[in-house]
Amino acid sequence: MDSDDEQLLRRRIYGTDHDHPGPKPGRSYAELVGGPLDGLLLDITGWRPEEIDDGVSLLTELGQFGPGGRALYDPRPGDPVRWDWAGDSP
């Protein structure tokens, strides 16, 4: 295991229980970059390519619209394991 793998294993997964926050072996993750969920990992295991291409709208209380708001993330062109923040929505 190299230092990048060790860093990944310390990360929290969006939407997981705080008692079991880390990545699981055999799963695929995208790193959320920027915005209110910066640094969290998103479990994309089993997602079809078109689902990944569409990006996501994730519930968060930390964004511009507070509770019930969403943070928008899109896969980074040429680097599909990093998804960039595209803004917030109500």
Side-chain angles (χ1 to χ4, degrees):
M1 181 180 306
D2 65 20
S3 64
D4 288 338
D5 291 334
E6 290 174 15
Q7 190 79 329
L8 176 71
L9 292 175
R10 287 192 284 257
R11 309 289 278 295
R12 264 191 13 131
I13 310 301
Y14 171 82
T16 58
D17 183 347
H18 289 282
D19 292 335
H20 305 287
K24 309 270 187 283
R27 310 287 299 177
S28 296
Y29 299 97
E31 178 185 3
L32 302 175
V33 180
L37 303 176
D38 184 53
L40 292 179
L41 299 175
L42 179 66
D43 187 345
I44 57 172
T45 305
W47 289 29
R48 296 185 317 266
E50 57 272 12
E51 292 175 306
I52 291 172
D53 291 344
D54 287 344
V56 292
S57 173
L58 302 171
L59 282 172
T60 182
E61 297 180 2
L62 303 174
Q64 174 183 355
F65 298 97
R70 294 180 174 273
L72 310 174
Y73 287 86
D74 294 315
R76 183 179 292 179
D79 190 3
V81 298
R82 288 185 176 75
W83 291 27
D84 295 313
W85 178 61
D88 293 331
S89 73

